[in-house]
């Protein structure tokens, strides 16, 4: 009598659904954590420990360390008009406006 040894090899296609399930579970956990912690998906203008500053006479901006004065050529944004997130109301506004040497808010000439 002849016997054959049969080896069971799992199909490669079975690994794909398992991988998809794990990937889906991880994405669901990340999304849930963001919602539950109140994490915003918006990109902050500056990182922790910094505040945004505006280029005098131009539309450039930078971030300065908290507790320090703005670098030369930059000034603090006027109170109540500080951008907090990329693309927010004030970030968009300051793309066409600036502060002159006297601290007055002025519209930036086109192409500058």
């Amino acid at each position: 009598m002849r016997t054959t040894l049969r080896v069971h090899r799992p199909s490669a296609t079975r690994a794909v659904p398992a991988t998809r399930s794990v990937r889906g579970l991880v994405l669901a956990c990340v999304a849930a954590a963001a919602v539950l912690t109140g994490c915003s998906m918006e990109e902050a203008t500056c990182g922790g420990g910094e505040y945004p500053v505006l280029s005098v006479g131009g539309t450039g901006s930078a971030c300065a360390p908290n507790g320090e004065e703005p670098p030369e050529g930059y000034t603090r944004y006027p109170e109540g008009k500080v951008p907090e997130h990329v693309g927010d109301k004030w970030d968009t506004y300051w793309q066409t406006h600036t502060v002159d040497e006297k601290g007055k808010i002025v519209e930036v000439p086109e192409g500058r």
Side-chain angles (χ1 to χ4, degrees):
M1 176 180 215
R2 184 172 176 204
T3 59
T4 38
L5 179 61
R6 294 185 185 206
V7 176
H8 177 70
R9 295 184 185 168
S11 167
T13 57
R14 288 183 180 228
V16 174
T19 303
R20 287 184 186 159
S21 296
V22 170
R23 188 178 306 147
L25 180 62
V26 169
L27 290 174
C29 289
V30 169
V35 170
L36 294 173
T37 61
C39 178
S40 174
M41 299 308 261
E42 296 176 309
E43 185 178 347
T45 302
C46 291
E50 298 178 317
Y51 67 95
V53 291
L54 176 65
S55 172
V56 175
T59 58
S61 63
C63 296
N66 287 343
E68 293 185 19
E69 289 299 313
E72 187 174 333
Y74 289 84
T75 189
R76 294 177 188 269
Y77 283 93
E79 191 173 335
K81 297 181 180 184
V82 181
E84 293 181 18
H85 296 95
V86 175
D88 72 8
K89 171 185 171 182
W90 293 115
D91 183 56
T92 304
Y93 176 83
W94 291 111
Q95 291 175 17
T96 57
H97 294 78
T98 191
V99 176
D100 66 13
E101 296 81 20
K102 297 177 184 176
K104 181 180 174 187
I105 297 174
V106 294
E107 197 166 336
V108 176
E110 219 174 294
R112 194 161 174 208

